[in-house]
Short mmCIF file of all heavy atoms in Angstrom, two decimals:
data_model
loop_
_atom_site.label_atom_id
_atom_site.label_comp_id
_atom_site.label_asym_id
_atom_site.label_seq_id
_atom_site.Cartn_x
_atom_site.Cartn_y
_atom_site.Cartn_z
N GLN A 1213 -29.79 14.72 45.91
CA GLN A 1213 -28.56 14.09 46.46
C GLN A 1213 -27.45 14.99 46.52
O GLN A 1213 -27.51 16.14 45.96
CB GLN A 1213 -28.32 12.77 45.56
CG GLN A 1213 -28.18 12.98 44.04
CD GLN A 1213 -26.78 13.56 43.67
OE1 GLN A 1213 -25.88 12.84 43.87
NE2 GLN A 1213 -26.82 14.76 43.20
N GLN A 1214 -26.40 14.52 47.04
CA GLN A 1214 -25.20 15.49 47.29
C GLN A 1214 -23.95 15.19 46.52
O GLN A 1214 -23.05 16.01 46.43
CB GLN A 1214 -24.91 15.50 48.86
CG GLN A 1214 -25.46 16.59 49.65
CD GLN A 1214 -27.05 16.19 50.02
OE1 GLN A 1214 -27.23 15.15 50.37
NE2 GLN A 1214 -27.90 17.12 49.62
N VAL A 1215 -23.97 13.98 45.91
CA VAL A 1215 -22.61 13.53 45.32
C VAL A 1215 -22.43 14.21 43.95
O VAL A 1215 -21.46 14.77 43.65
CB VAL A 1215 -22.57 12.04 45.12
CG1 VAL A 1215 -21.23 11.63 44.47
CG2 VAL A 1215 -22.63 11.35 46.52
N LEU A 1216 -23.52 14.17 43.16
CA LEU A 1216 -23.34 14.65 41.82
C LEU A 1216 -23.80 16.15 41.67
O LEU A 1216 -24.68 16.53 42.48
CB LEU A 1216 -24.17 13.75 40.78
CG LEU A 1216 -23.79 12.28 40.68
CD1 LEU A 1216 -24.83 11.46 40.00
CD2 LEU A 1216 -22.47 12.03 40.16
N ARG A 1233 -16.98 14.55 42.74
CA ARG A 1233 -17.04 14.12 44.19
C ARG A 1233 -16.98 12.64 44.30
O ARG A 1233 -16.84 12.13 45.38
CB ARG A 1233 -18.22 14.64 44.79
CG ARG A 1233 -18.05 16.23 45.39
CD ARG A 1233 -19.02 16.54 46.23
NE ARG A 1233 -20.25 16.94 45.63
CZ ARG A 1233 -20.57 18.09 45.06
NH1 ARG A 1233 -19.85 19.20 45.37
NH2 ARG A 1233 -21.82 18.26 44.57
N THR A 1234 -16.99 11.91 43.25
CA THR A 1234 -16.80 10.45 43.37
C THR A 1234 -15.30 10.14 43.30
O THR A 1234 -14.87 8.97 43.61
CB THR A 1234 -17.46 9.70 42.19
OG1 THR A 1234 -16.78 10.12 40.97
CG2 THR A 1234 -18.84 9.84 42.11
N GLY A 1235 -14.46 10.99 43.14
CA GLY A 1235 -13.01 10.90 43.00
C GLY A 1235 -12.57 10.25 41.71
O GLY A 1235 -11.44 9.81 41.40
N MET A 1236 -13.51 10.14 40.68
CA MET A 1236 -13.18 9.51 39.46
C MET A 1236 -13.15 10.59 38.38
O MET A 1236 -13.85 11.63 38.42
CB MET A 1236 -14.31 8.60 39.02
CG MET A 1236 -14.43 7.34 40.18
SD MET A 1236 -16.02 6.36 39.71
CE MET A 1236 -15.14 5.11 38.71
N PHE A 1241 -15.44 6.98 35.37
CA PHE A 1241 -16.90 6.87 35.81
C PHE A 1241 -17.80 6.21 34.75
O PHE A 1241 -18.47 5.24 34.93
CB PHE A 1241 -17.47 8.28 36.12
CG PHE A 1241 -18.85 8.27 36.76
CD1 PHE A 1241 -18.96 8.37 38.05
CD2 PHE A 1241 -19.99 8.29 35.91
CE1 PHE A 1241 -20.30 8.34 38.62
CE2 PHE A 1241 -21.26 8.18 36.47
CZ PHE A 1241 -21.38 8.23 37.82
N ALA A 1244 -16.74 2.52 34.25
CA ALA A 1244 -17.23 1.61 35.34
C ALA A 1244 -18.75 1.49 35.41
O ALA A 1244 -19.26 0.48 35.76
CB ALA A 1244 -16.63 2.12 36.68
N LEU A 1245 -19.42 2.55 35.15
CA LEU A 1245 -20.89 2.62 35.13
C LEU A 1245 -21.39 1.65 34.05
O LEU A 1245 -22.34 0.87 34.29
CB LEU A 1245 -21.37 4.04 34.84
CG LEU A 1245 -22.90 4.22 34.75
CD1 LEU A 1245 -23.50 4.02 36.15
CD2 LEU A 1245 -23.28 5.54 34.18
N GLU A 1248 -20.41 -2.02 35.39
CA GLU A 1248 -21.04 -2.48 36.63
C GLU A 1248 -22.61 -2.29 36.68
O GLU A 1248 -23.31 -3.08 37.28
CB GLU A 1248 -20.53 -1.77 37.80
CG GLU A 1248 -19.08 -2.11 38.01
CD GLU A 1248 -18.43 -1.31 39.06
OE1 GLU A 1248 -19.09 -0.90 40.06
OE2 GLU A 1248 -17.15 -1.03 39.14
N ARG A 1249 -23.11 -1.28 35.99
CA ARG A 1249 -24.59 -0.87 36.07
C ARG A 1249 -25.25 -0.92 34.63
O ARG A 1249 -26.40 -0.65 34.55
CB ARG A 1249 -24.88 0.33 36.66
CG ARG A 1249 -24.25 0.46 37.98
CD ARG A 1249 -25.05 -0.30 39.08
NE ARG A 1249 -24.40 -0.37 40.38
CZ ARG A 1249 -24.88 0.43 41.39
NH1 ARG A 1249 -26.03 1.07 41.31
NH2 ARG A 1249 -24.26 0.50 42.50
N ASP A 1283 -31.42 6.52 37.89
CA ASP A 1283 -31.35 5.96 39.22
C ASP A 1283 -30.08 5.24 39.34
O ASP A 1283 -29.51 5.10 40.47
CB ASP A 1283 -32.62 5.17 39.53
CG ASP A 1283 -33.79 6.02 39.78
OD1 ASP A 1283 -33.54 7.28 39.95
OD2 ASP A 1283 -34.91 5.60 39.71
N ARG A 1284 -29.84 4.29 38.39
CA ARG A 1284 -28.60 3.50 38.46
C ARG A 1284 -27.33 4.31 38.55
O ARG A 1284 -26.47 4.04 39.32
CB ARG A 1284 -28.46 2.56 37.13
CG ARG A 1284 -29.56 1.41 37.12
CD ARG A 1284 -29.11 0.51 36.03
NE ARG A 1284 -30.23 -0.17 35.48
CZ ARG A 1284 -30.17 -0.97 34.38
NH1 ARG A 1284 -29.03 -1.13 33.75
NH2 ARG A 1284 -31.20 -1.48 33.99
N LEU A 1285 -27.28 5.40 37.61
CA LEU A 1285 -26.14 6.23 37.72
C LEU A 1285 -26.03 6.97 39.10
O LEU A 1285 -24.90 7.00 39.71
CB LEU A 1285 -26.34 7.39 36.64
CG LEU A 1285 -25.28 8.39 36.26
CD1 LEU A 1285 -25.35 8.84 34.92
CD2 LEU A 1285 -25.30 9.52 37.24
N ILE A 1286 -27.12 7.43 39.72
CA ILE A 1286 -27.10 8.17 40.97
C ILE A 1286 -26.63 7.00 42.09
O ILE A 1286 -25.79 7.36 42.93
CB ILE A 1286 -28.36 8.83 41.34
CG1 ILE A 1286 -28.48 10.03 40.30
CG2 ILE A 1286 -28.35 9.15 42.78
CD1 ILE A 1286 -29.90 10.73 40.40
N GLY A 1287 -27.25 5.90 41.99
CA GLY A 1287 -26.82 4.80 43.03
C GLY A 1287 -25.37 4.45 42.87
O GLY A 1287 -24.63 4.29 43.83
N PHE A 1288 -24.85 4.41 41.68
CA PHE A 1288 -23.50 3.97 41.35
C PHE A 1288 -22.58 5.02 41.96
O PHE A 1288 -21.62 4.84 42.62
CB PHE A 1288 -23.24 3.95 39.95
CG PHE A 1288 -21.82 3.81 39.54
CD1 PHE A 1288 -21.14 2.59 39.76
CD2 PHE A 1288 -21.13 4.88 39.03
CE1 PHE A 1288 -19.72 2.36 39.41
CE2 PHE A 1288 -19.81 4.77 38.59
CZ PHE A 1288 -19.17 3.54 38.75
N ALA A 1289 -23.02 6.27 41.74
CA ALA A 1289 -22.16 7.44 42.21
C ALA A 1289 -22.19 7.46 43.80
O ALA A 1289 -21.09 7.67 44.44
CB ALA A 1289 -22.61 8.65 41.62
N ALA A 1290 -23.29 7.17 44.26
CA ALA A 1290 -23.38 7.20 45.84
C ALA A 1290 -22.47 6.10 46.44
O ALA A 1290 -21.71 6.30 47.51
CB ALA A 1290 -24.75 6.95 46.25
N GLY A 1291 -22.40 5.00 45.80
CA GLY A 1291 -21.56 3.87 46.26
C GLY A 1291 -20.10 4.22 46.15
O GLY A 1291 -19.36 3.97 47.08
N ARG A 1292 -19.81 4.87 44.97
CA ARG A 1292 -18.38 5.18 44.86
C ARG A 1292 -17.94 6.19 45.76
O ARG A 1292 -16.95 6.19 46.33
CB ARG A 1292 -18.20 5.66 43.35
CG ARG A 1292 -18.12 4.48 42.42
CD ARG A 1292 -17.04 3.61 42.83
NE ARG A 1292 -17.12 2.29 42.06
CZ ARG A 1292 -16.22 1.93 41.20
NH1 ARG A 1292 -15.09 2.58 41.00
NH2 ARG A 1292 -16.29 0.89 40.47
N ALA A 1293 -18.82 7.32 46.07
CA ALA A 1293 -18.40 8.32 46.88
C ALA A 1293 -18.30 7.91 48.36
O ALA A 1293 -17.33 8.25 49.10
CB ALA A 1293 -19.50 9.45 46.95
N ALA A 1294 -19.08 6.80 48.81
CA ALA A 1294 -19.07 6.31 50.09
C ALA A 1294 -17.73 5.42 50.24
O ALA A 1294 -17.11 5.47 51.39
CB ALA A 1294 -20.21 5.39 50.42
N ALA A 1295 -17.33 4.89 49.30
CA ALA A 1295 -16.22 4.01 49.27
C ALA A 1295 -14.83 4.98 49.20
O ALA A 1295 -13.77 4.37 49.55
CB ALA A 1295 -16.22 2.95 48.18
N ALA A 1296 -14.96 6.17 48.67
CA ALA A 1296 -13.79 7.04 48.45
C ALA A 1296 -13.27 7.56 49.72
O ALA A 1296 -13.88 7.66 50.65
CB ALA A 1296 -14.08 8.11 47.42
#
Side-chain angles (χ1 to χ4, degrees):
Q1213 53 80 66
Q1214 265 79 50
V1215 176
L1216 300 169
R1233 277 195 286 269
T1234 62
M1236 304 170 88
F1241 187 95
L1245 179 69
E1248 295 174 26
R1249 301 290 176 102
D1283 287 343
R1284 285 194 212 170
L1285 186 153
I1286 289 169
F1288 171 77
R1292 283 304 170 115

